[in-house]
Amino acid sequence: MNRFVRRRHQASRPTAWLSAVLGSLVVIGPVVAAEESGRSFEIYGFAQADYIQDIDGRLDPDWDDAFRPSRICLDGACGEDGQASLSVKQSRFGVKGTMPTGDGKVPLNFKFEFDLFGTGVDAGQTTMRLRHFYGEWGSLLAGQTHSLFMDIDVFPNTIDYWGPSGMVFYRNVQLRWTPWRTDRSHFTVAIERPGNDIDSGSLRLIDGLEDVQVQNDEELPDFTAQWRTQGDWGHVQVGGILRKVGYELRANPASRWVEGSETGWGVNVGAVFNVLDRDAVRLQVVYGEGIASYMNDGGMDLAPSASFDEQTLTGLESEAVPLTGVLAYYDHWWNERWSSSIGYSYTEVDNTNFQDPGSFNKADYASANLLYYPAERLMIGGELLWGQRTNNDGESDDALRFQFTAKYSFDVKF
C-alpha cells in the first residue's frame, strides 16, 4: 500500500521560522511609539509541559505526544505497550494587531502564530510549525488560517494536542471573501490550497503494475463556503466543500503518466449550545466523499475500486471515498476554579473493494478530564484518553493513556 503524506501539517525548518519571528518583532517599536488611532499590537502565547503515560497500547513513536487513534500500532508492530513522554510541543507564540489604512478606510487586521509540534518531515521533533499567518482587510482575507469547512468552536476543552478524531480540522492557505456579515451571522466563500491523500490500494498485485507509481494531481483549488448564526444561546454553523480529487499514475518509470480525477464534496454541521452558567454542549456531524484531507484523523480521499466477473478482474476505476465524522462533547464548570470535559468522537470511511486489508477504516476517540485554575493565566490538570483503530479487514487494537499538563499563559498589549 502506497500512502502519500497529507500536507495539512507541513513544517519549515527552525532557522527560517526564527528569522520570521524576529522580523515580525521589529515592528513592536514603531507600534508602541505610535499614537495613531486604531492601531494595536499584541504578543501572546503560553508555555506548556505535558507528561504523557500510555497505560495500554502503543502508538507510532513519532506520535507519542499526540493521541491519534489512526497511529495506534496493531499486533505489537511498534514494540511493547506502556510508553512515557514529556513534551513542550504544545507551547505557542503569536502576534496580532490592527493597522490603519488611511482616513475613512477599513483597517487591516493581521495574525502570526506558531507552536512547536513537528509534523510531516519533522514528525516527532520539537520544531517551529506555522499555525496562522494572514491579513484581513474588510471582507477580504489572504493567508493561512482555519478552513471555512471547519468549525473551530466545537473543539472541546481537552488538553490532548490533537483532539477528537471525528471533527473537521484543517488550517489551510486560502483567499476568502465575506459578502454578507451582521453582528450575529455571516456567509463566507473561499478558494483553498488543494491536497489529496491517495491510497493506491492493491494496484501492485496486478500483472504489469508491480512497479506502479501513483501521485497527486491538483489542477484546481478547493472551493469552500460557510454560513453561521449565533447568539447568547450558542451558534450553528454549516460548512460545505467542493473539490477535484485528482491522480496521476504510470506503470513504470519508462511509461507515460495517465491522469484521472473524481469529484469530492462534503457538508459539515456544527453547533454549540450554552447551558447553565458556563457549560457548553459541542456537537458536529460531517459527511462527504473525498474529504479525508480536512479531517482531524484518519481516512483517505481517493482509492481504487474494481469490478469482477467471478474471480477475473474486468474493470478498475478510482473512487472518492465516502467518510462520516461525529463529535459529541460536554464542557462543565464545577466552580470558578475547576472544570471538566467529557465526550466521544469517531471517523469512519467506506473502504473500496480494492483497498489493502490493512487500510484504515475507523478511529474511535473518547476522553474525560479534570482541570484546575489556581490563578489567572495558570492551569494544571489531568486527562484520561481511550482510542481504537480498526482496519479494512476488521482487525483492531486500542490504547489507553493518561496525560498531566501544566500551562502558563501570557499576553502583552501595546
Side-chain angles (χ1 to χ4, degrees):
M1 179 178 65
N2 181 21
R3 298 294 301 275
F4 290 85
V5 178
R6 40 177 94 165
R7 299 186 295 180
R8 57 165 286 190
H9 300 297
Q10 286 179 335
S12 298
R13 295 300 177 185
T15 53
W17 282 116
L18 184 57
S19 298
V21 174
L22 294 176
S24 68
L25 293 180
V26 170
V27 303
I28 294 178
V31 171
V32 174
E35 297 180 354
E36 188 173 2
S37 176
R39 186 181 299 227
S40 67
F41 191 85
E42 180 180 352
I43 300 173
Y44 66 92
F46 54 82
Q48 179 168 326
D50 301 321
Y51 162 54
I52 295 168
Q53 182 66 59
D54 286 334
I55 302 170
D56 187 34
R58 182 74 180 267
L59 276 71
D60 181 331
D62 286 340
W63 295 93
D64 279 341
D65 300 319
F67 195 66
R68 296 186 63 184
S70 69
R71 303 293 176 167
I72 295 174
C73 299
L74 277 62
D75 298 329
C78 296
E80 295 297 321
D81 294 352
Q83 300 298 296
S85 175
L86 286 167
S87 169
V88 296
K89 295 176 182 177
Q90 291 207 55
S91 300
R92 189 180 305 174
F93 182 88
V95 296
K96 62 182 179 180
T98 301
M99 302 289 290
T101 59
D103 293 340
K105 297 187 183 301
V106 177
L108 171 68
N109 299 313
F110 64 88
K111 185 174 185 178
F112 171 59
E113 179 182 298
F114 66 86
D115 61 23
L116 303 177
F117 205 101
T119 58
V121 296
D122 293 321
Q125 301 180 42
T126 304
T127 185
M128 294 180 181
R129 183 179 74 99
L130 182 66
R131 291 171 57 87
H132 301 276
F133 202 169
Y134 67 86
E136 185 176 21
W137 182 64
S139 61
L140 301 176
L141 180 148
Q144 176 171 308
T145 189
H146 299 306
S147 168
L148 287 185
F149 191 46
M150 165 187 177
D151 184 354
I152 184 59
D153 292 324
V154 302
F155 202 115
N157 189 26
T158 60
I159 55 176
D160 167 45
Y161 179 78
W162 215 256
S165 58
M167 69 175 293
V168 177
F169 193 98
Y170 193 7
R171 288 184 292 267
N172 202 8
V173 180
Q174 59 194 271
L175 296 173
R176 178 191 296 184
W177 177 45
T178 304
W180 179 66
R181 177 183 288 156
T182 69
D183 292 340
R184 291 185 175 268
S185 58
H186 67 246
F187 176 72
T188 307
V189 295
I191 56 172
E192 303 192 18
R193 178 184 59 184
N196 303 334
D197 184 16
I198 301 176
D199 185 348
S200 59
S202 301
L203 289 179
R204 289 184 175 82
L205 300 179
I206 300 175
D207 291 341
L209 295 181
E210 294 87 351
D211 300 317
V212 68
Q213 294 177 274
V214 184
Q215 65 183 25
N216 302 343
D217 185 26
E218 295 155 359
E219 298 179 339
L220 295 173
D222 296 343
F223 175 76
T224 57
Q226 180 187 106
W227 172 82
R228 178 180 174 120
T229 186
Q230 61 189 29
D232 295 338
W233 51 271
H235 82 268
V236 172
Q237 178 175 305
V238 180
I241 186 170
L242 185 66
R243 58 198 313 244
K244 180 180 180 179
V245 187
Y247 68 90
E248 294 178 314
L249 64 81
R250 59 182 180 180
N252 55 66
S255 302
R256 286 188 174 185
W257 289 102
V258 176
E259 65 178 13
S261 66
E262 298 294 330
T263 299
W265 64 274
V267 176
N268 180 29
V269 180
V272 175
F273 299 104
N274 299 324
V275 296
L276 302 179
D277 290 334
R278 302 174 64 183
D279 292 8
V281 178
R282 306 184 190 275
L283 305 170
Q284 180 181 276
V285 177
V286 56
Y287 180 80
E289 298 178 358
I291 60 170
S293 293
Y294 284 77
M295 297 301 295
N296 201 25
D297 189 31
M300 64 293 298
D301 296 315
L302 200 66
S305 63
S307 300
F308 295 91
D309 182 6
E310 295 182 354
Q311 300 300 319
T312 303
L313 179 67
T314 58
L316 191 64
E317 59 184 5
S318 61
E319 181 177 333
V321 180
L323 179 148
T324 302
V326 173
L327 175 148
Y329 264 80
Y330 182 58
D331 290 348
H332 174 65
W333 285 85
W334 302 98
N335 53 45
E336 293 294 322
R337 298 292 185 188
W338 293 88
S339 75
S340 292
S341 182
I342 185 170
Y344 167 75
S345 180
Y346 76 86
T347 302
E348 185 173 16
V349 301
D350 184 6
N351 295 105
T352 72
N353 65 349
F354 211 62
Q355 285 188 255
D356 187 272
S359 295
F360 171 89
N361 173 256
K362 187 180 181 182
D364 296 274
Y365 179 105
S367 66
N369 62 31
L370 181 62
L371 309 180
Y372 175 54
Y373 306 84
E376 187 177 359
R377 297 186 177 89
L378 304 179
M379 186 275 289
I380 58 176
E383 187 166 82
L384 190 65
L385 302 115
W386 172 85
Q388 180 172 274
R389 169 186 167 182
T390 303
N391 286 345
N392 186 21
D393 59 4
E395 185 178 5
S396 66
D397 209 340
D398 61 359
L400 184 65
R401 164 176 290 188
F402 174 77
Q403 177 172 329
F404 176 81
T405 292
K407 177 180 177 181
Y408 307 101
S409 303
F410 61 87
D411 64 273
V412 181
K413 297 180 181 179
F414 298 91

